[in-house]
Amino acid sequence: MPVAVAPLGADLLVTERTGEGVVLDTAGHPVREWESPNVASLYAATAGTARPRVVAVRSPYYVPQFAAEADTAPLIRVLDTLGRPVEGLATVRVPAAPFLTHLVNAGAVAVGPDGAVYFAPLVRDEIRKYAPNGALRWTTKRGLFARESDPEFLPPRGREVQVRHALVNVALALGPPPDGRLYVLGSDDSAASKLRVDVLDTATGTILATRRLAPRETAVAVDARGSIAAFDADSLLRGASAAGREAFEPAFALPDLTGDTVTLARFAGKVTLVNFWASWCDPCREEFPHMTELYREFSRRAFEIAAISDDVDRGKMAAFVREFRPPFPILVGGGRMKQAYHYRGLPYSVLLDRQGRIIERIFGFGGAEEFRELHETIAKEVRVP
């Protein structure tokens, strides 16, 4: 599940949700990938240089576990173009609850053409500039909080661990030449529901301008002159032409549990969710009851699910099916699906329109909220003749 993209020479450096780095060429082909140097990482690199400087910070998008770190651990890691750490800049701040160290030091990052690194913590009202050697050049605060405290644990709710914290900084970007200013997407409130863009002078850290965004303006762009445009991302997606949808490929022809061959063409004329799963995939076990509920909410004339098992072990696949008793078709992929469809993990789903074109891809299992949104998408699509 990609969460961020940065230029890396002539290629693109994509941050996966879990922190891995994937380098793609401009045709979208994977060139190489690397493991995250932190529990989860976010990457940035200098743009337009033959030998880009690559840095990694703790990801603000994914905090998968609570982990303590030594107070000598680097805040920013410098990587080579193969993703290997070669040096560290600055040091982490260890909070009163050491297991929240990742959260306290997670943040947005950008790298200037001169190798300077800009960092904005997720949960603190600060924006910082570090020289290439790690020396702190300036720190800017917006004055959002009269008193700013570290995140802290709250009493648990059942098995769920609660943490109190304020979400402040969301993303950083340097304006394209000749603009060269620093743009910071942040929030005026602790829930990050009142978004703002601050424009900073990179030499001094002075805030030159602030633009507050409307509640539904969640897509922001800056042109070379420094003009800011904000959009309602949902409206943009709804307005996208269905004619621009790509076909789902390759078309499958796979056996079902009785041995009969089921083809993609069988689902023509229906909105179809193609789901890839396996018996050893724990999120798949969580997802299957939601798919069953979704399947029963629409008529078979309008909507179908094709659930393709990628199990190699036929016995384990059969045991999974006996446990969940899905009402939708189960197809046997035999361990060949990842090579054919190039997904990085399971579960993976693709929602198709009546013409077999891709409406959206769904990476992983996002819980009940994801399925509520999926239900809305399907309901809109089945009304399209």
Side-chain angles (χ1 to χ4, degrees):
M1 184 181 294
V3 296
V5 179
L8 185 64
D11 298 321
L12 299 174
L13 172 57
V14 179
T15 301
E16 293 277 331
R17 178 172 177 266
T18 51
E20 285 78 11
V22 182
V23 180
L24 307 175
D25 63 23
T26 51
H29 302 126
V31 176
R32 59 187 173 278
E33 55 188 82
W34 61 67
E35 297 296 321
S36 172
N38 300 299
V39 175
S41 296
L42 179 69
Y43 306 97
T46 50
T49 57
R51 298 185 62 182
R53 190 178 205 210
V54 187
V55 300
V57 297
R58 290 155 187 80
S59 175
Y61 301 116
Y62 184 44
V63 184
Q65 66 187 55
F66 299 116
E69 295 185 62
D71 59 7
T72 55
L75 175 67
I76 300 160
R77 287 181 167 89
V78 181
L79 314 178
D80 63 19
T81 53
L82 296 178
R84 299 174 299 200
V86 293
E87 63 176 304
L89 304 178
T91 54
V92 295
R93 182 170 176 272
V94 178
F99 287 102
L100 296 176
T101 298
H102 180 103
L103 177 61
V104 168
N105 294 280
V109 65
V111 184
D114 59 351
V117 180
Y118 301 88
F119 176 73
L122 174 69
V123 297
R124 198 161 192 84
D125 181 14
E126 292 181 355
I127 305 160
R128 309 175 203 156
K129 177 180 180 178
Y130 292 96
N133 64 1
L136 181 63
R137 291 300 189 214
W138 48 253
T139 299
T140 294
K141 293 178 177 287
R142 302 183 186 86
L144 298 179
F145 307 106
R147 179 181 175 274
E148 192 168 36
S149 59
D150 281 336
E152 59 185 32
F153 287 108
L154 295 173
R157 296 179 181 175
R159 298 177 62 184
E160 186 176 355
V161 178
Q162 301 284 318
V163 178
R164 187 204 315 271
H165 58 281
L167 300 177
V168 182
N169 295 301
V170 180
L172 291 182
L174 284 163
D179 174 41
R181 294 177 293 183
L182 182 68
Y183 294 81
V184 185
L185 179 63
S187 175
D188 271 336
D189 66 335
S190 62
S193 61
K194 297 179 180 178
L195 296 176
R196 58 188 275 169
V197 176
D198 291 285
V199 185
L200 275 66
D201 176 66
T202 55
T204 64
T206 302
I207 296 178
L208 303 174
T210 297
R211 173 168 171 176
R212 286 173 172 81
L213 306 183
R216 298 185 65 83
E217 290 181 334
T218 57
V220 185
V222 178
D223 66 17
R225 297 175 308 225
S227 297
I228 300 173
F231 308 93
D232 174 351
D234 291 337
S235 295
L236 288 175
L237 291 173
R238 284 195 297 269
S241 171
R245 293 173 178 172
E246 61 181 296
F248 175 74
E249 294 178 340
F252 57 76
L254 297 169
D256 63 13
L257 296 178
T258 66
D260 292 337
T261 298
V262 176
T263 67
L264 178 63
R266 166 180 158 177
F267 303 99
K270 302 178 183 180
V271 178
T272 303
L273 183 69
V274 181
N275 171 262
F276 297 89
W277 63 277
S279 62
W280 43 261
C281 163
D282 288 339
C284 300
R285 306 181 73 85
E286 297 181 60
E287 184 179 58
F288 252 61
H290 291 276
M291 288 204 300
T292 295
E293 183 179 352
L294 186 70
Y295 188 74
R296 289 172 174 159
E297 289 175 347
F298 295 96
S299 75
R300 297 289 69 78
R301 295 188 303 274
F303 176 67
E304 267 289 1
I305 292 178
I308 303 175
S309 166
D310 206 19
D311 280 286
V312 176
D313 189 318
R314 185 74 179 254
K316 291 182 178 178
M317 179 198 70
F320 183 101
V321 172
R322 286 194 299 271
E323 178 181 354
F324 288 95
R325 298 185 179 278
F328 41 80
I330 298 294
L331 308 183
V332 182
R336 304 182 302 274
M337 297 298 96
K338 185 174 183 180
Q339 181 178 2
Y341 293 98
H342 307 292
Y343 53 78
R344 292 181 54 79
L346 295 176
Y348 168 60
S349 298
V350 186
L351 183 64
L352 308 181
D353 64 16
R354 295 179 186 273
Q355 288 75 44
R357 300 171 302 186
I358 297 171
I359 301 170
E360 66 175 301
R361 293 180 172 88
I362 304 166
F363 302 89
F365 170 59
E369 178 61 29
E370 177 183 78
F371 269 80
R372 280 192 290 271
E373 294 175 359
L374 181 58
H375 183 280
E376 292 178 6
T377 301
I378 294 169
K380 294 175 184 175
E381 198 68 28
V382 297
R383 290 195 291 266
V384 177

